Amino acid sequence: MTLSGTFPRAAAALLATVAMSIAALGSGLASAVQTVANPASSMPSPAVDPGERLAYHGPPQRPWAHGPARAGAYNYYYAEANQDFASGAFRTRLAATFTVHHPAQVVNNSTRADHSLGEMAVRAPNLKFTYVEAGWLQSGTKTKPQLFVFWWRNGNGHCYNFGCGFVRAGKGIRPGSALSPGTKIRIAWSHHDHKWWLSVNGKTSGYYPDKLWDGKFTKAEGVQIFGEVAVRKGYRDCDDMGNGRRPGKPKAAKVFDVSYSSGTVDLSKGNVTAPNRYDLTLTGNGSFRYGGPGIC
């Protein structure tokens, strides 16, 4: 789902790292992806140099509705913006507004489980590959996009939504709920009272308790906001990202009004893995357009 560590400035470096990670993990990835039916298991840590701090998006996740997947069986594409925070200036609240879409050609059936999403990931300091995430996700052309949450600890990816740590609280939109294409959602992560709280459109939806990270994840060292497409290997990359429009188009998918608990918002363009199809254009210090069509 996410990138971890500091952010790469070249997609090639990330892809090489992911390739080595997947090769090292081997067949163990087959049972790594979480579902509602099996929320307690977790992914093995990716094989990386212990002294290396770099961005990392995977291993990729399969939408929760269709059971365990082989994480290495999918190609993943990203268009990402990011910002790192200096030591001593970490953030405790991060928010962004997303336009919600229904990407076309996102196939989800008995043989493949593609997805297309937009999300914000908040990274922990001093812990490798540790995040809380939230966003909208489209899994299948016959369904509506859904709100989702996900979390990582030291490279171990846990389950979507409920069943492995997320606690429902408040009157905000419940993770797993359908969202209407063409609308906007404002997603915020705030840390207080020993919890990472999620709010959607200004209303509290729930939280992840600090005990999931032994109390070591109380501030954000960085944020990554991106579009993601997953396509089953062996199939053409037909899936749209965002609403299928490239970011040069004014009506492309948007992220805007990014804000933090303190300090200046100054996003940078990060990892873009297939710019001929999916790309990102910064439109301000705290806003960008992203997305594009598949090749079909």
Side-chain angles (χ1 to χ4, degrees):
M1 292 289 297
T2 71
L3 298 165
S4 290
T6 56
F7 305 106
R9 305 309 174 197
L14 173 73
L15 294 176
T17 301
V18 172
M20 288 187 293
S21 300
I22 292 173
L25 292 174
S27 62
L29 287 168
S31 62
V33 178
Q34 303 308 303
T35 67
V36 172
N38 184 24
S41 60
S42 61
M43 294 183 183
S45 298
V48 292
D49 187 324
E52 192 173 15
R53 298 178 67 251
L54 61 128
Y56 185 67
H57 263 296
Q61 305 299 308
R62 183 176 180 177
W64 58 88
H66 289 271
R70 292 178 175 84
Y74 287 80
N75 291 318
Y76 282 68
Y77 304 97
Y78 303 95
E80 176 244 359
N82 61 61
Q83 186 172 351
D84 291 331
F85 309 128
S87 179
F90 298 151
R91 310 299 197 256
T92 56
R93 185 180 188 279
L94 307 95
T97 300
F98 293 76
T99 54
V100 178
H101 303 283
H102 190 288
Q105 305 182 97
V106 181
V107 178
N108 199 326
N109 55 31
S110 61
T111 60
R112 55 191 289 201
D114 295 2
H115 74 233
S116 183
L117 60 80
E119 75 160 74
M120 177 173 66
V122 173
R123 188 179 81 242
N126 305 316
L127 295 170
K128 294 178 73 95
F129 315 134
T130 296
Y131 284 87
V132 290
E133 305 177 342
W136 64 267
L137 181 148
Q138 179 72 40
S139 59
T141 54
K142 296 182 179 180
T143 62
K144 284 188 174 183
Q146 297 180 354
L147 176 71
F148 78 91
V149 294
F150 196 88
W151 66 285
W152 295 79
R153 173 175 168 157
N154 298 327
N156 293 325
H158 295 265
C159 75
Y160 287 93
N161 303 342
F162 299 99
C164 68
F166 190 79
V167 179
R168 171 69 170 164
K171 297 182 179 180
I173 298 172
R174 182 185 179 93
S177 297
L179 303 171
S180 297
T183 62
K184 294 176 282 190
I185 55 169
R186 183 159 182 80
I187 292 172
W189 286 109
S190 302
H191 189 273
H192 56 88
D193 299 329
H194 309 291
K195 304 172 180 69
W196 276 105
W197 293 86
L198 173 71
S199 64
V200 181
N201 295 336
K203 296 181 179 180
T204 299
S205 294
Y207 62 85
Y208 284 118
D210 283 358
K211 66 181 181 181
L212 297 175
W213 303 278
D214 298 328
K216 297 178 181 179
F217 183 8
T218 61
K219 296 182 180 180
E221 180 187 49
V223 64
Q224 292 156 251
I225 309 172
F226 55 89
E228 173 185 299
V229 166
V231 181
R232 177 87 182 189
K233 291 180 179 177
Y235 293 87
R236 298 186 72 192
D237 300 331
C238 295
D239 308 55
D240 289 353
M241 179 185 288
N243 58 12
R245 295 182 174 92
R246 290 184 62 82
K249 303 291 185 180
K251 294 185 178 181
K254 298 177 178 66
V255 174
F256 56 97
D257 287 345
V258 175
S259 66
Y260 311 137
S261 54
S262 62
T264 302
V265 177
D266 190 15
L267 294 175
S268 297
K269 184 175 180 177
N271 183 35
V272 176
T273 53
N276 59 322
R277 278 174 281 157
Y278 314 121
D279 206 349
L280 181 148
T281 298
L282 294 170
T283 55
N285 291 343
S287 62
F288 61 88
R289 296 192 296 265
Y290 70 99
I295 60 176
C296 301

PDB file of all heavy atoms in Angstrom, residues 205-233:
ATOM      1  N   SER A 205     -14.251   8.969  12.840  1.00  0.00           N
ATOM      2  CA  SER A 205     -14.666   7.644  12.383  1.00  0.00           C
ATOM      3  C   SER A 205     -14.116   6.521  13.247  1.00  0.00           C
ATOM      4  O   SER A 205     -14.658   5.409  13.239  1.00  0.00           O
ATOM      5  CB  SER A 205     -14.223   7.423  10.934  1.00  0.00           C
ATOM      6  OG  SER A 205     -14.893   8.291  10.053  1.00  0.00           O
ATOM      7  N   GLY A 206     -13.021   6.764  13.969  1.00  0.00           N
ATOM      8  CA  GLY A 206     -12.423   5.724  14.795  1.00  0.00           C
ATOM      9  C   GLY A 206     -10.950   5.980  14.992  1.00  0.00           C
ATOM     10  O   GLY A 206     -10.440   7.064  14.678  1.00  0.00           O
ATOM     11  N   TYR A 207     -10.242   4.958  15.484  1.00  0.00           N
ATOM     12  CA  TYR A 207      -8.833   5.168  15.804  1.00  0.00           C
ATOM     13  C   TYR A 207      -8.056   3.858  15.797  1.00  0.00           C
ATOM     14  O   TYR A 207      -8.619   2.759  15.908  1.00  0.00           O
ATOM     15  CB  TYR A 207      -8.690   5.837  17.176  1.00  0.00           C
ATOM     16  CG  TYR A 207      -9.224   5.016  18.335  1.00  0.00           C
ATOM     17  CD1 TYR A 207      -8.442   4.049  18.963  1.00  0.00           C
ATOM     18  CD2 TYR A 207     -10.530   5.202  18.809  1.00  0.00           C
ATOM     19  CE1 TYR A 207      -8.927   3.290  20.016  1.00  0.00           C
ATOM     20  CE2 TYR A 207     -11.027   4.459  19.864  1.00  0.00           C
ATOM     21  CZ  TYR A 207     -10.219   3.497  20.468  1.00  0.00           C
ATOM     22  OH  TYR A 207     -10.711   2.744  21.510  1.00  0.00           O
ATOM     23  N   TYR A 208      -6.731   4.000  15.683  1.00  0.00           N
ATOM     24  CA  TYR A 208      -5.781   2.937  15.958  1.00  0.00           C
ATOM     25  C   TYR A 208      -5.086   3.266  17.278  1.00  0.00           C
ATOM     26  O   TYR A 208      -4.511   4.345  17.420  1.00  0.00           O
ATOM     27  CB  TYR A 208      -4.723   2.838  14.860  1.00  0.00           C
ATOM     28  CG  TYR A 208      -5.188   2.195  13.581  1.00  0.00           C
ATOM     29  CD1 TYR A 208      -5.185   2.905  12.384  1.00  0.00           C
ATOM     30  CD2 TYR A 208      -5.591   0.857  13.549  1.00  0.00           C
ATOM     31  CE1 TYR A 208      -5.587   2.313  11.194  1.00  0.00           C
ATOM     32  CE2 TYR A 208      -5.990   0.262  12.363  1.00  0.00           C
ATOM     33  CZ  TYR A 208      -5.985   0.992  11.192  1.00  0.00           C
ATOM     34  OH  TYR A 208      -6.378   0.392  10.019  1.00  0.00           O
ATOM     35  N   PRO A 209      -5.095   2.368  18.256  1.00  0.00           N
ATOM     36  CA  PRO A 209      -4.451   2.655  19.537  1.00  0.00           C
ATOM     37  C   PRO A 209      -2.925   2.543  19.444  1.00  0.00           C
ATOM     38  O   PRO A 209      -2.394   1.739  18.678  1.00  0.00           O
ATOM     39  CB  PRO A 209      -5.020   1.577  20.460  1.00  0.00           C
ATOM     40  CG  PRO A 209      -5.350   0.434  19.553  1.00  0.00           C
ATOM     41  CD  PRO A 209      -5.798   1.065  18.253  1.00  0.00           C
ATOM     42  N   ASP A 210      -2.236   3.336  20.266  1.00  0.00           N
ATOM     43  CA  ASP A 210      -0.774   3.341  20.272  1.00  0.00           C
ATOM     44  C   ASP A 210      -0.174   1.978  20.601  1.00  0.00           C
ATOM     45  O   ASP A 210       0.969   1.689  20.240  1.00  0.00           O
ATOM     46  CB  ASP A 210      -0.249   4.364  21.283  1.00  0.00           C
ATOM     47  CG  ASP A 210      -0.336   5.791  20.768  1.00  0.00           C
ATOM     48  OD1 ASP A 210      -0.767   5.987  19.616  1.00  0.00           O
ATOM     49  OD2 ASP A 210       0.031   6.710  21.529  1.00  0.00           O
ATOM     50  N   LYS A 211      -0.918   1.143  21.305  1.00  0.00           N
ATOM     51  CA  LYS A 211      -0.368  -0.158  21.696  1.00  0.00           C
ATOM     52  C   LYS A 211      -0.002  -1.030  20.496  1.00  0.00           C
ATOM     53  O   LYS A 211       0.812  -1.953  20.617  1.00  0.00           O
ATOM     54  CB  LYS A 211      -1.345  -0.902  22.597  1.00  0.00           C
ATOM     55  CG  LYS A 211      -2.647  -1.316  21.913  1.00  0.00           C
ATOM     56  CD  LYS A 211      -3.574  -2.022  22.889  1.00  0.00           C
ATOM     57  CE  LYS A 211      -4.875  -2.465  22.215  1.00  0.00           C
ATOM     58  NZ  LYS A 211      -5.790  -3.138  23.179  1.00  0.00           N
ATOM     59  N   LEU A 212      -0.577  -0.733  19.342  1.00  0.00           N
ATOM     60  CA  LEU A 212      -0.224  -1.492  18.141  1.00  0.00           C
ATOM     61  C   LEU A 212       1.238  -1.317  17.780  1.00  0.00           C
ATOM     62  O   LEU A 212       1.830  -2.169  17.110  1.00  0.00           O
ATOM     63  CB  LEU A 212      -1.105  -1.061  16.965  1.00  0.00           C
ATOM     64  CG  LEU A 212      -2.603  -1.320  17.111  1.00  0.00           C
ATOM     65  CD1 LEU A 212      -3.359  -0.723  15.932  1.00  0.00           C
ATOM     66  CD2 LEU A 212      -2.889  -2.817  17.229  1.00  0.00           C
ATOM     67  N   TRP A 213       1.820  -0.200  18.209  1.00  0.00           N
ATOM     68  CA  TRP A 213       3.234   0.094  17.945  1.00  0.00           C
ATOM     69  C   TRP A 213       4.034   0.258  19.251  1.00  0.00           C
ATOM     70  O   TRP A 213       5.069   0.911  19.261  1.00  0.00           O
ATOM     71  CB  TRP A 213       3.348   1.369  17.104  1.00  0.00           C
ATOM     72  CG  TRP A 213       2.596   1.293  15.821  1.00  0.00           C
ATOM     73  CD1 TRP A 213       3.012   0.713  14.655  1.00  0.00           C
ATOM     74  CD2 TRP A 213       1.280   1.804  15.553  1.00  0.00           C
ATOM     75  NE1 TRP A 213       2.043   0.822  13.685  1.00  0.00           N
ATOM     76  CE2 TRP A 213       0.956   1.495  14.204  1.00  0.00           C
ATOM     77  CE3 TRP A 213       0.347   2.502  16.312  1.00  0.00           C
ATOM     78  CZ2 TRP A 213      -0.248   1.856  13.621  1.00  0.00           C
ATOM     79  CZ3 TRP A 213      -0.869   2.848  15.730  1.00  0.00           C
ATOM     80  CH2 TRP A 213      -1.153   2.529  14.406  1.00  0.00           C
ATOM     81  N   ASP A 214       3.532  -0.327  20.313  1.00  0.00           N
ATOM     82  CA  ASP A 214       4.186  -0.241  21.626  1.00  0.00           C
ATOM     83  C   ASP A 214       4.440   1.199  22.039  1.00  0.00           C
ATOM     84  O   ASP A 214       5.445   1.509  22.696  1.00  0.00           O
ATOM     85  CB  ASP A 214       5.516  -1.016  21.625  1.00  0.00           C
ATOM     86  CG  ASP A 214       5.318  -2.506  21.352  1.00  0.00           C
ATOM     87  OD1 ASP A 214       4.272  -3.049  21.754  1.00  0.00           O
ATOM     88  OD2 ASP A 214       6.215  -3.114  20.735  1.00  0.00           O
ATOM     89  N   GLY A 215       3.529   2.096  21.657  1.00  0.00           N
ATOM     90  CA  GLY A 215       3.646   3.486  22.042  1.00  0.00           C
ATOM     91  C   GLY A 215       4.736   4.265  21.350  1.00  0.00           C
ATOM     92  O   GLY A 215       5.034   5.410  21.737  1.00  0.00           O
ATOM     93  N   LYS A 216       5.310   3.722  20.269  1.00  0.00           N
ATOM     94  CA  LYS A 216       6.448   4.359  19.601  1.00  0.00           C
ATOM     95  C   LYS A 216       6.057   5.196  18.390  1.00  0.00           C
ATOM     96  O   LYS A 216       6.915   5.816  17.767  1.00  0.00           O
ATOM     97  CB  LYS A 216       7.452   3.294  19.175  1.00  0.00           C
ATOM     98  CG  LYS A 216       8.066   2.529  20.333  1.00  0.00           C
ATOM     99  CD  LYS A 216       9.021   1.454  19.843  1.00  0.00           C
ATOM    100  CE  LYS A 216       9.617   0.668  21.003  1.00  0.00           C
ATOM    101  NZ  LYS A 216      10.526  -0.402  20.518  1.00  0.00           N
ATOM    102  N   PHE A 217       4.788   5.203  18.036  1.00  0.00           N
ATOM    103  CA  PHE A 217       4.322   5.950  16.861  1.00  0.00           C
ATOM    104  C   PHE A 217       3.318   6.988  17.349  1.00  0.00           C
ATOM    105  O   PHE A 217       2.131   6.735  17.413  1.00  0.00           O
ATOM    106  CB  PHE A 217       3.694   4.975  15.873  1.00  0.00           C
ATOM    107  CG  PHE A 217       3.230   5.585  14.563  1.00  0.00           C
ATOM    108  CD1 PHE A 217       3.508   6.899  14.205  1.00  0.00           C
ATOM    109  CD2 PHE A 217       2.504   4.808  13.661  1.00  0.00           C
ATOM    110  CE1 PHE A 217       3.066   7.435  13.003  1.00  0.00           C
ATOM    111  CE2 PHE A 217       2.054   5.326  12.452  1.00  0.00           C
ATOM    112  CZ  PHE A 217       2.333   6.649  12.131  1.00  0.00           C
ATOM    113  N   THR A 218       3.818   8.168  17.706  1.00  0.00           N
ATOM    114  CA  THR A 218       2.960   9.227  18.242  1.00  0.00           C
ATOM    115  C   THR A 218       3.036  10.510  17.416  1.00  0.00           C
ATOM    116  O   THR A 218       2.279  11.440  17.677  1.00  0.00           O
ATOM    117  CB  THR A 218       3.344   9.547  19.690  1.00  0.00           C
ATOM    118  OG1 THR A 218       4.707  10.003  19.740  1.00  0.00           O
ATOM    119  CG2 THR A 218       3.195   8.302  20.579  1.00  0.00           C
ATOM    120  N   LYS A 219       3.950  10.535  16.450  1.00  0.00           N
ATOM    121  CA  LYS A 219       4.082  11.691  15.571  1.00  0.00           C
ATOM    122  C   LYS A 219       4.413  11.212  14.165  1.00  0.00           C
ATOM    123  O   LYS A 219       4.799  10.057  13.970  1.00  0.00           O
ATOM    124  CB  LYS A 219       5.177  12.644  16.073  1.00  0.00           C
ATOM    125  CG  LYS A 219       4.874  13.279  17.424  1.00  0.00           C
ATOM    126  CD  LYS A 219       5.978  14.241  17.844  1.00  0.00           C
ATOM    127  CE  LYS A 219       5.664  14.879  19.191  1.00  0.00           C
ATOM    128  NZ  LYS A 219       6.723  15.824  19.611  1.00  0.00           N
ATOM    129  N   ALA A 220       4.268  12.108  13.196  1.00  0.00           N
ATOM    130  CA  ALA A 220       4.527  11.766  11.801  1.00  0.00           C
ATOM    131  C   ALA A 220       5.845  12.367  11.340  1.00  0.00           C
ATOM    132  O   ALA A 220       6.086  13.562  11.508  1.00  0.00           O
ATOM    133  CB  ALA A 220       3.406  12.269  10.909  1.00  0.00           C
ATOM    134  N   GLU A 221       6.669  11.531  10.747  1.00  0.00           N
ATOM    135  CA  GLU A 221       7.938  11.959  10.167  1.00  0.00           C
ATOM    136  C   GLU A 221       7.780  12.373   8.709  1.00  0.00           C
ATOM    137  O   GLU A 221       8.616  13.072   8.142  1.00  0.00           O
ATOM    138  CB  GLU A 221       8.944  10.822  10.276  1.00  0.00           C
ATOM    139  CG  GLU A 221      10.323  11.118   9.716  1.00  0.00           C
ATOM    140  CD  GLU A 221      11.199   9.891   9.698  1.00  0.00           C
ATOM    141  OE1 GLU A 221      10.734   8.840   9.207  1.00  0.00           O
ATOM    142  OE2 GLU A 221      12.351   9.978  10.171  1.00  0.00           O
ATOM    143  N   GLY A 222       6.692  11.926   8.099  1.00  0.00           N
ATOM    144  CA  GLY A 222       6.469  12.240   6.701  1.00  0.00           C
ATOM    145  C   GLY A 222       5.071  11.856   6.273  1.00  0.00           C
ATOM    146  O   GLY A 222       4.357  11.131   6.981  1.00  0.00           O
ATOM    147  N   VAL A 223       4.669  12.352   5.110  1.00  0.00           N
ATOM    148  CA  VAL A 223       3.369  12.019   4.551  1.00  0.00           C
ATOM    149  C   VAL A 223       3.534  11.707   3.073  1.00  0.00           C
ATOM    150  O   VAL A 223       4.369  12.307   2.391  1.00  0.00           O
ATOM    151  CB  VAL A 223       2.358  13.168   4.759  1.00  0.00           C
ATOM    152  CG1 VAL A 223       2.789  14.422   3.997  1.00  0.00           C
ATOM    153  CG2 VAL A 223       0.947  12.757   4.343  1.00  0.00           C
ATOM    154  N   GLN A 224       2.773  10.754   2.595  1.00  0.00           N
ATOM    155  CA  GLN A 224       2.722  10.418   1.178  1.00  0.00           C
ATOM    156  C   GLN A 224       1.263  10.364   0.741  1.00  0.00           C
ATOM    157  O   GLN A 224       0.424   9.769   1.428  1.00  0.00           O
ATOM    158  CB  GLN A 224       3.401   9.077   0.924  1.00  0.00           C
ATOM    159  CG  GLN A 224       4.896   9.126   1.153  1.00  0.00           C
ATOM    160  CD  GLN A 224       5.440   7.750   1.463  1.00  0.00           C
ATOM    161  OE1 GLN A 224       5.831   7.481   2.583  1.00  0.00           O
ATOM    162  NE2 GLN A 224       5.456   6.898   0.464  1.00  0.00           N
ATOM    163  N   ILE A 225       0.961  10.999  -0.367  1.00  0.00           N
ATOM    164  CA  ILE A 225      -0.402  11.054  -0.888  1.00  0.00           C
ATOM    165  C   ILE A 225      -0.315  10.633  -2.348  1.00  0.00           C
ATOM    166  O   ILE A 225       0.465  11.211  -3.114  1.00  0.00           O
ATOM    167  CB  ILE A 225      -0.988  12.466  -0.758  1.00  0.00           C
ATOM    168  CG1 ILE A 225      -0.820  12.990   0.680  1.00  0.00           C
ATOM    169  CG2 ILE A 225      -2.460  12.470  -1.144  1.00  0.00           C
ATOM    170  CD1 ILE A 225      -1.202  14.440   0.849  1.00  0.00           C
ATOM    171  N   PHE A 226      -1.118   9.647  -2.745  1.00  0.00           N
ATOM    172  CA  PHE A 226      -0.878   9.096  -4.079  1.00  0.00           C
ATOM    173  C   PHE A 226      -2.076   8.351  -4.640  1.00  0.00           C
ATOM    174  O   PHE A 226      -2.997   7.959  -3.920  1.00  0.00           O
ATOM    175  CB  PHE A 226       0.338   8.160  -4.053  1.00  0.00           C
ATOM    176  CG  PHE A 226       0.282   7.052  -3.044  1.00  0.00           C
ATOM    177  CD1 PHE A 226      -0.284   5.826  -3.343  1.00  0.00           C
ATOM    178  CD2 PHE A 226       0.831   7.226  -1.781  1.00  0.00           C
ATOM    179  CE1 PHE A 226      -0.315   4.799  -2.421  1.00  0.00           C
ATOM    180  CE2 PHE A 226       0.816   6.206  -0.842  1.00  0.00           C
ATOM    181  CZ  PHE A 226       0.239   4.990  -1.163  1.00  0.00           C
ATOM    182  N   GLY A 227      -2.016   8.136  -5.948  1.00  0.00           N
ATOM    183  CA  GLY A 227      -2.902   7.210  -6.623  1.00  0.00           C
ATOM    184  C   GLY A 227      -2.168   5.906  -6.846  1.00  0.00           C
ATOM    185  O   GLY A 227      -0.950   5.889  -7.027  1.00  0.00           O
ATOM    186  N   GLU A 228      -2.915   4.811  -6.845  1.00  0.00           N
ATOM    187  CA  GLU A 228      -2.325   3.474  -6.999  1.00  0.00           C
ATOM    188  C   GLU A 228      -3.246   2.620  -7.849  1.00  0.00           C
ATOM    189  O   GLU A 228      -4.464   2.668  -7.699  1.00  0.00           O
ATOM    190  CB  GLU A 228      -2.134   2.837  -5.627  1.00  0.00           C
ATOM    191  CG  GLU A 228      -1.691   1.374  -5.660  1.00  0.00           C
ATOM    192  CD  GLU A 228      -1.641   0.779  -4.256  1.00  0.00           C
ATOM    193  OE1 GLU A 228      -0.858   1.290  -3.425  1.00  0.00           O
ATOM    194  OE2 GLU A 228      -2.401  -0.177  -3.984  1.00  0.00           O
ATOM    195  N   VAL A 229      -2.642   1.821  -8.731  1.00  0.00           N
ATOM    196  CA  VAL A 229      -3.383   0.852  -9.535  1.00  0.00           C
ATOM    197  C   VAL A 229      -2.697  -0.502  -9.386  1.00  0.00           C
ATOM    198  O   VAL A 229      -1.467  -0.593  -9.457  1.00  0.00           O
ATOM    199  CB  VAL A 229      -3.427   1.266 -11.018  1.00  0.00           C
ATOM    200  CG1 VAL A 229      -3.890   0.112 -11.908  1.00  0.00           C
ATOM    201  CG2 VAL A 229      -4.347   2.465 -11.206  1.00  0.00           C
ATOM    202  N   ALA A 230      -3.480  -1.547  -9.175  1.00  0.00           N
ATOM    203  CA  ALA A 230      -2.981  -2.919  -9.120  1.00  0.00           C
ATOM    204  C   ALA A 230      -3.622  -3.726 -10.236  1.00  0.00           C
ATOM    205  O   ALA A 230      -4.843  -3.710 -10.393  1.00  0.00           O
ATOM    206  CB  ALA A 230      -3.307  -3.556  -7.774  1.00  0.00           C
ATOM    207  N   VAL A 231      -2.797  -4.422 -11.021  1.00  0.00           N
ATOM    208  CA  VAL A 231      -3.281  -5.214 -12.156  1.00  0.00           C
ATOM    209  C   VAL A 231      -2.665  -6.608 -12.076  1.00  0.00           C
ATOM    210  O   VAL A 231      -1.449  -6.747 -11.909  1.00  0.00           O
ATOM    211  CB  VAL A 231      -2.904  -4.567 -13.502  1.00  0.00           C
ATOM    212  CG1 VAL A 231      -3.448  -5.394 -14.666  1.00  0.00           C
ATOM    213  CG2 VAL A 231      -3.410  -3.145 -13.571  1.00  0.00           C
ATOM    214  N   ARG A 232      -3.494  -7.610 -12.191  1.00  0.00           N
ATOM    215  CA  ARG A 232      -3.015  -8.982 -12.165  1.00  0.00           C
ATOM    216  C   ARG A 232      -2.000  -9.211 -13.280  1.00  0.00           C
ATOM    217  O   ARG A 232      -2.218  -8.828 -14.440  1.00  0.00           O
ATOM    218  CB  ARG A 232      -4.196  -9.942 -12.358  1.00  0.00           C
ATOM    219  CG  ARG A 232      -3.820 -11.418 -12.422  1.00  0.00           C
ATOM    220  CD  ARG A 232      -3.755 -12.033 -11.068  1.00  0.00           C
ATOM    221  NE  ARG A 232      -3.348 -13.439 -11.127  1.00  0.00           N
ATOM    222  CZ  ARG A 232      -3.374 -14.266 -10.089  1.00  0.00           C
ATOM    223  NH1 ARG A 232      -3.797 -13.827  -8.925  1.00  0.00           N
ATOM    224  NH2 ARG A 232      -2.991 -15.519 -10.210  1.00  0.00           N
ATOM    225  N   LYS A 233      -0.869  -9.806 -12.939  1.00  0.00           N
ATOM    226  CA  LYS A 233       0.154 -10.108 -13.939  1.00  0.00           C
ATOM    227  C   LYS A 233      -0.404 -11.065 -14.992  1.00  0.00           C
ATOM    228  O   LYS A 233      -1.186 -11.958 -14.684  1.00  0.00           O
ATOM    229  CB  LYS A 233       1.391 -10.713 -13.273  1.00  0.00           C
ATOM    230  CG  LYS A 233       2.164  -9.727 -12.419  1.00  0.00           C
ATOM    231  CD  LYS A 233       3.373 -10.366 -11.779  1.00  0.00           C
ATOM    232  CE  LYS A 233       4.140  -9.344 -10.955  1.00  0.00           C
ATOM    233  NZ  LYS A 233       5.307  -9.963 -10.259  1.00  0.00           N
TER     234      LYS A 233
END
